[in-house]
Short mmCIF file of all heavy atoms in Angstrom, two decimals:
data_model
loop_
_atom_site.label_atom_id
_atom_site.label_comp_id
_atom_site.label_asym_id
_atom_site.label_seq_id
_atom_site.Cartn_x
_atom_site.Cartn_y
_atom_site.Cartn_z
N GLU A 374 -30.44 15.21 -7.60
CA GLU A 374 -29.46 15.29 -6.48
C GLU A 374 -30.20 15.39 -5.09
O GLU A 374 -29.70 14.75 -4.19
CB GLU A 374 -28.58 16.50 -6.68
CG GLU A 374 -27.48 16.30 -7.73
CD GLU A 374 -28.06 16.42 -9.14
OE1 GLU A 374 -29.25 17.02 -9.27
OE2 GLU A 374 -27.45 16.03 -10.17
N GLN A 375 -31.31 16.07 -5.00
CA GLN A 375 -32.01 16.13 -3.70
C GLN A 375 -32.58 14.71 -3.35
O GLN A 375 -32.60 14.34 -2.27
CB GLN A 375 -33.15 17.09 -3.86
CG GLN A 375 -32.66 18.60 -3.83
CD GLN A 375 -33.94 19.51 -3.63
OE1 GLN A 375 -35.11 19.06 -3.68
NE2 GLN A 375 -33.60 20.82 -3.46
N ASN A 376 -33.00 13.98 -4.40
CA ASN A 376 -33.46 12.62 -4.11
C ASN A 376 -32.32 11.72 -3.63
O ASN A 376 -32.42 10.92 -2.70
CB ASN A 376 -34.06 11.97 -5.37
CG ASN A 376 -34.69 10.62 -5.13
OD1 ASN A 376 -35.38 10.44 -4.04
ND2 ASN A 376 -34.60 9.71 -6.04
N PHE A 377 -31.10 11.86 -4.17
CA PHE A 377 -29.92 11.18 -3.74
C PHE A 377 -29.66 11.53 -2.31
O PHE A 377 -29.34 10.70 -1.45
CB PHE A 377 -28.73 11.48 -4.63
CG PHE A 377 -28.81 10.91 -6.03
CD1 PHE A 377 -28.01 11.37 -7.07
CD2 PHE A 377 -29.70 9.84 -6.28
CE1 PHE A 377 -28.11 10.84 -8.34
CE2 PHE A 377 -29.73 9.27 -7.51
CZ PHE A 377 -28.94 9.72 -8.55
N ALA A 378 -29.72 12.83 -1.96
CA ALA A 378 -29.36 13.31 -0.68
C ALA A 378 -30.30 12.78 0.38
O ALA A 378 -29.89 12.29 1.45
CB ALA A 378 -29.40 14.84 -0.60
N LEU A 379 -31.62 12.71 0.09
CA LEU A 379 -32.60 12.22 1.07
C LEU A 379 -32.36 10.72 1.28
O LEU A 379 -32.60 10.14 2.41
CB LEU A 379 -34.07 12.41 0.56
CG LEU A 379 -34.52 13.87 0.70
CD1 LEU A 379 -35.85 14.13 0.09
CD2 LEU A 379 -34.58 14.33 2.19
N ASN A 380 -31.99 9.96 0.21
CA ASN A 380 -31.73 8.52 0.42
C ASN A 380 -30.57 8.31 1.34
O ASN A 380 -30.60 7.37 2.18
CB ASN A 380 -31.41 7.86 -0.95
CG ASN A 380 -32.70 7.41 -1.62
OD1 ASN A 380 -33.17 6.36 -1.43
ND2 ASN A 380 -33.14 8.29 -2.54
N LEU A 381 -29.48 9.20 1.31
CA LEU A 381 -28.37 8.99 2.22
C LEU A 381 -28.78 9.48 3.63
O LEU A 381 -28.31 8.80 4.62
CB LEU A 381 -27.20 9.91 1.70
CG LEU A 381 -26.57 9.42 0.42
CD1 LEU A 381 -25.40 10.34 0.08
CD2 LEU A 381 -25.96 7.96 0.59
N LEU A 382 -29.50 10.60 3.72
CA LEU A 382 -29.86 11.08 5.03
C LEU A 382 -30.76 10.12 5.81
O LEU A 382 -30.76 10.07 7.07
CB LEU A 382 -30.57 12.48 4.88
CG LEU A 382 -29.75 13.58 4.39
CD1 LEU A 382 -30.60 14.80 4.05
CD2 LEU A 382 -28.72 13.97 5.42
N LEU A 383 -31.61 9.34 5.11
CA LEU A 383 -32.49 8.42 5.76
C LEU A 383 -31.97 6.97 5.79
O LEU A 383 -32.76 6.06 6.18
CB LEU A 383 -33.84 8.48 5.02
CG LEU A 383 -34.66 9.80 5.09
CD1 LEU A 383 -35.88 9.84 4.15
CD2 LEU A 383 -35.17 10.00 6.53
N ASP A 384 -30.72 6.77 5.41
CA ASP A 384 -30.15 5.46 5.43
C ASP A 384 -29.54 5.17 6.78
O ASP A 384 -28.58 5.83 7.18
CB ASP A 384 -29.10 5.33 4.29
CG ASP A 384 -28.61 3.85 4.17
OD1 ASP A 384 -28.99 3.01 4.99
OD2 ASP A 384 -27.81 3.66 3.28
N PRO A 385 -30.02 4.17 7.54
CA PRO A 385 -29.47 4.00 8.89
C PRO A 385 -28.03 3.45 8.85
O PRO A 385 -27.30 3.53 9.88
CB PRO A 385 -30.43 3.00 9.49
CG PRO A 385 -31.10 2.31 8.34
CD PRO A 385 -31.17 3.31 7.28
N ASP A 386 -27.62 2.92 7.75
CA ASP A 386 -26.26 2.35 7.64
C ASP A 386 -25.18 3.42 7.27
O ASP A 386 -24.04 3.12 7.24
CB ASP A 386 -26.15 1.26 6.59
CG ASP A 386 -27.00 -0.01 7.05
OD1 ASP A 386 -27.09 -0.19 8.29
OD2 ASP A 386 -27.52 -0.68 6.19
N CYS A 387 -25.65 4.59 6.93
CA CYS A 387 -24.76 5.70 6.60
C CYS A 387 -24.62 6.64 7.73
O CYS A 387 -25.48 7.38 8.14
CB CYS A 387 -25.42 6.48 5.34
SG CYS A 387 -24.24 7.27 4.35
N ASP A 388 -23.45 6.55 8.34
CA ASP A 388 -23.20 7.30 9.59
C ASP A 388 -22.65 8.67 9.38
O ASP A 388 -22.77 9.53 10.23
CB ASP A 388 -22.14 6.53 10.48
CG ASP A 388 -22.64 5.12 10.92
OD1 ASP A 388 -23.88 4.98 10.95
OD2 ASP A 388 -21.80 4.25 11.12
N PHE A 389 -22.13 8.93 8.23
CA PHE A 389 -21.48 10.27 7.95
C PHE A 389 -21.91 10.71 6.49
O PHE A 389 -21.61 10.00 5.58
CB PHE A 389 -19.94 10.19 8.09
CG PHE A 389 -19.32 11.53 7.86
CD1 PHE A 389 -19.40 12.50 8.80
CD2 PHE A 389 -18.54 11.79 6.73
CE1 PHE A 389 -18.74 13.65 8.62
CE2 PHE A 389 -17.88 12.91 6.49
CZ PHE A 389 -17.99 13.92 7.43
N VAL A 390 -22.57 11.83 6.43
CA VAL A 390 -23.07 12.40 5.20
C VAL A 390 -22.58 13.77 5.07
O VAL A 390 -22.65 14.63 5.94
CB VAL A 390 -24.63 12.36 5.09
CG1 VAL A 390 -25.12 12.94 3.80
CG2 VAL A 390 -25.14 10.92 5.34
N THR A 391 -22.10 14.16 3.84
CA THR A 391 -21.65 15.51 3.57
C THR A 391 -22.41 15.96 2.37
O THR A 391 -22.53 15.27 1.32
CB THR A 391 -20.16 15.52 3.21
OG1 THR A 391 -19.83 14.49 2.22
CG2 THR A 391 -19.32 15.30 4.48
N LEU A 392 -22.96 17.20 2.41
CA LEU A 392 -23.73 17.75 1.36
C LEU A 392 -23.17 19.16 1.06
O LEU A 392 -22.97 19.94 1.92
CB LEU A 392 -25.20 17.98 1.72
CG LEU A 392 -25.99 16.69 2.15
CD1 LEU A 392 -27.44 17.09 2.45
CD2 LEU A 392 -26.04 15.76 1.01
N THR A 393 -22.73 19.34 -0.20
CA THR A 393 -22.19 20.60 -0.62
C THR A 393 -23.12 21.11 -1.83
O THR A 393 -23.70 20.35 -2.43
CB THR A 393 -20.74 20.48 -1.11
OG1 THR A 393 -20.68 19.55 -2.25
CG2 THR A 393 -19.85 19.97 -0.01
N GLY A 394 -23.02 22.42 -1.99
CA GLY A 394 -23.84 22.99 -3.04
C GLY A 394 -23.96 24.54 -2.83
O GLY A 394 -23.65 25.01 -1.79
N THR A 395 -24.39 25.21 -3.88
CA THR A 395 -24.61 26.64 -3.77
C THR A 395 -25.82 27.01 -2.88
O THR A 395 -26.52 26.12 -2.42
CB THR A 395 -24.73 27.22 -5.17
OG1 THR A 395 -25.92 26.61 -5.83
CG2 THR A 395 -23.54 26.97 -6.05
N ALA A 396 -26.02 28.25 -2.70
CA ALA A 396 -27.01 28.72 -1.81
C ALA A 396 -28.42 28.43 -2.52
O ALA A 396 -28.59 28.57 -3.65
CB ALA A 396 -26.99 30.25 -1.62
N GLY A 397 -29.35 27.87 -1.63
CA GLY A 397 -30.75 27.62 -2.13
C GLY A 397 -30.87 26.23 -2.69
O GLY A 397 -31.89 26.01 -3.30
N THR A 398 -29.89 25.29 -2.51
CA THR A 398 -30.05 23.96 -3.07
C THR A 398 -30.82 23.10 -2.08
O THR A 398 -31.10 21.90 -2.47
CB THR A 398 -28.70 23.32 -3.36
OG1 THR A 398 -27.88 23.52 -2.17
CG2 THR A 398 -28.03 24.10 -4.52
N GLY A 399 -31.19 23.51 -0.88
CA GLY A 399 -32.04 22.75 -0.01
C GLY A 399 -31.29 21.91 0.96
O GLY A 399 -31.80 20.94 1.57
N LYS A 400 -29.99 22.21 1.27
CA LYS A 400 -29.19 21.34 2.16
C LYS A 400 -29.78 21.31 3.57
O LYS A 400 -30.01 20.27 4.06
CB LYS A 400 -27.75 21.87 2.15
CG LYS A 400 -27.06 21.95 0.81
CD LYS A 400 -25.67 22.39 0.89
CE LYS A 400 -25.53 23.85 1.41
NZ LYS A 400 -26.04 24.84 0.47
N THR A 401 -30.07 22.46 4.18
CA THR A 401 -30.44 22.60 5.54
C THR A 401 -31.82 22.03 5.65
O THR A 401 -32.19 21.37 6.66
CB THR A 401 -30.33 24.04 6.01
OG1 THR A 401 -29.03 24.48 5.80
CG2 THR A 401 -30.67 24.10 7.50
N LEU A 402 -32.74 22.38 4.73
CA LEU A 402 -34.14 21.94 4.86
C LEU A 402 -34.28 20.47 4.76
O LEU A 402 -35.03 19.91 5.62
CB LEU A 402 -34.94 22.66 3.69
CG LEU A 402 -36.45 22.28 3.64
CD1 LEU A 402 -37.14 22.88 4.92
CD2 LEU A 402 -37.13 22.90 2.44
N MET A 403 -33.66 19.83 3.84
CA MET A 403 -33.70 18.36 3.70
C MET A 403 -33.08 17.66 4.90
O MET A 403 -33.65 16.68 5.45
CB MET A 403 -33.03 17.90 2.47
CG MET A 403 -33.72 18.27 1.14
SD MET A 403 -32.97 17.43 -0.24
CE MET A 403 -31.37 18.09 -0.22
N THR A 404 -31.99 18.18 5.40
CA THR A 404 -31.36 17.60 6.60
C THR A 404 -32.18 17.73 7.79
O THR A 404 -32.31 16.79 8.63
CB THR A 404 -30.02 18.25 6.82
OG1 THR A 404 -29.22 18.15 5.62
CG2 THR A 404 -29.24 17.56 7.96
N LEU A 405 -32.82 18.87 7.93
CA LEU A 405 -33.64 19.05 9.17
C LEU A 405 -34.90 18.18 9.05
O LEU A 405 -35.35 17.63 10.12
CB LEU A 405 -34.01 20.51 9.31
CG LEU A 405 -34.56 21.00 10.66
CD1 LEU A 405 -33.57 20.67 11.73
CD2 LEU A 405 -34.81 22.52 10.60
#
Side-chain angles (χ1 to χ4, degrees):
E374 285 76 17
Q375 285 190 355
N376 188 38
F377 289 162
L379 285 173
N380 274 275
L381 291 178
L382 291 170
L383 294 169
D384 188 355
D386 293 331
C387 207
D388 299 333
F389 182 71
V390 179
T391 51
L392 301 180
T393 60
T395 59
T398 51
K400 302 182 295 293
T401 308
L402 181 63
M403 289 189 300
T404 305
L405 198 54

